[in-house]
């Protein structure tokens, strides 16, 4: 990948997109689909786009090219999507690792961080095998350890919603309220 200096993403008000960030298993995709449907916006799932374009699953990208390559693909896609409009974007759990990603998404979108307890995340991700970062014997310990390392990054997002004990519909409703308030500013 070439090292071209990045141009600034121009800020827009009111927000043109809704961007869901948060750890794996916090409900970004489920809530994102409900939101897109209700608001007649395009639903965009970052992991799916990366997989489609690469022609292989994320676990294979990690295994063959390594995590830094995946993060570079993710970064390029953030820039592309942040320049777009009328989208509900479900991001990959690791986009907060690069502060430029959060900056670019925040310039054009309402960024909401979905959160959940490690126990809830464990329950929601236990059966899945497509997340390379959780492919370890002690999945729960792995969740706790990655969450701990990223906690400050997720906590720095101004809008945060704990999804542990709520339905996806009620979470989507709260985000819709937030979105309509932001559009009136
Ligand atoms: C990752 C989360 C995954 C995917 C990749 C890395 C992370 O997305 O992007 O496996 O670093 O937290 P989901 O949050 O959609 O599972």
């Amino acid at each position: 990948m070439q090292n071209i200096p990045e141009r600034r993403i121009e800020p827009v008000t009111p927000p043109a997109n809704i961007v869901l960030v948060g750890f794996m298993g916090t409900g970004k995709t489920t809530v994102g689909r409900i939101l897109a449907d209700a608001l007649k916006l395009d639903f965009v799932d970052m992991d799916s786009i990366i997989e489609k374009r690469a022609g292989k699953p994320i676990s294979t990208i990690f295994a063959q090219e390594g995590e830094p390559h995946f993060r570079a693909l993710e970064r390029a896609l953030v820039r592309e999507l942040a320049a777009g409009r009328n989208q509900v974007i479900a991001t990959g759990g690791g986009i907060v690792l690069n502060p430029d990603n959060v900056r670019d998404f925040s310039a054009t979108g309402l960024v909401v961080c979905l959160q959940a307890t490690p126990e809830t995340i464990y329950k929601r991700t236990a059966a899945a095998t497509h997340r390379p970062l959780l492919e370890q014997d002690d999945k729960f310990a792995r969740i706790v350890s990655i969450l701990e390392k990223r906690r400050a990054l997720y906590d720095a997002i101004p809008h945060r919603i704990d999804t542990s004990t709520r339905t996806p519909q009620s979470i989507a409703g709260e985000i819709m309220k937030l979105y309509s308030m932001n559009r009136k500013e």
Side-chain angles (χ1 to χ4, degrees):
M1 212 163 281
Q2 280 178 301
N3 214 353
I4 304 167
E6 292 182 343
R7 284 189 42 221
R8 205 169 93 95
I9 302 276
E10 290 304 323
V12 295
T13 322
N17 302 308
I18 298 177
V19 184
L20 302 180
V21 308
F23 199 79
M24 297 168 264
T26 50
K28 293 165 295 195
T29 305
T30 310
V31 173
R33 281 188 200 285
I34 296 172
L35 275 173
D37 210 42
L39 295 168
K40 307 269 177 291
L41 299 174
D42 295 329
F43 176 69
V44 180
D45 184 88
M46 287 190 62
D47 287 345
S48 303
I49 295 183
I50 291 173
E51 290 187 328
K52 213 184 214 169
R53 290 184 182 172
K56 48 189 149 185
I58 284 169
S59 50
T60 310
I61 302 176
F62 267 68
Q64 291 179 347
E65 280 108 351
E67 182 173 344
H69 178 73
F70 172 77
R71 297 298 173 202
L73 296 176
E74 210 174 31
R75 173 73 193 127
L77 184 57
V78 167
R79 288 189 56 79
E80 183 184 323
L81 295 175
R85 302 285 179 266
N86 302 321
Q87 313 160 98
V88 177
I89 303 166
T91 65
I95 70 128
V96 291
L97 295 170
N98 183 344
D100 293 347
N101 289 337
V102 178
R103 181 203 61 205
D104 289 344
F105 271 146
S106 304
T108 56
L110 171 70
V111 179
V112 179
C113 181
L114 302 187
Q115 299 187 295
T117 61
E119 290 76 14
T120 306
I121 291 169
Y122 178 73
K123 268 188 232 146
R124 291 182 186 161
T125 59
T129 54
H130 65 277
R131 293 185 175 95
L133 293 179
L134 299 184
E135 286 315 303
Q136 302 227 341
D137 287 345
D138 193 343
K139 214 181 215 185
F140 184 74
R142 182 79 178 139
I143 289 168
V144 171
S145 127
I146 308 176
L147 255 182
E148 210 37 63
K149 284 196 201 114
R150 293 186 186 168
R151 184 170 305 283
L153 300 172
Y154 293 127
D155 283 352
I157 309 284
H159 299 294
R160 297 184 304 280
I161 301 178
D162 190 334
T163 68
S164 304
T165 58
R166 294 179 55 180
T167 63
Q169 285 76 11
S170 119
I171 298 156
E174 182 172 340
I175 297 172
M176 278 191 266
K177 269 192 211 141
L178 212 55
Y179 184 59
S180 65
M181 273 158 50
N182 275 269
R183 293 195 73 81
K184 283 189 197 106
E185 264 171 22

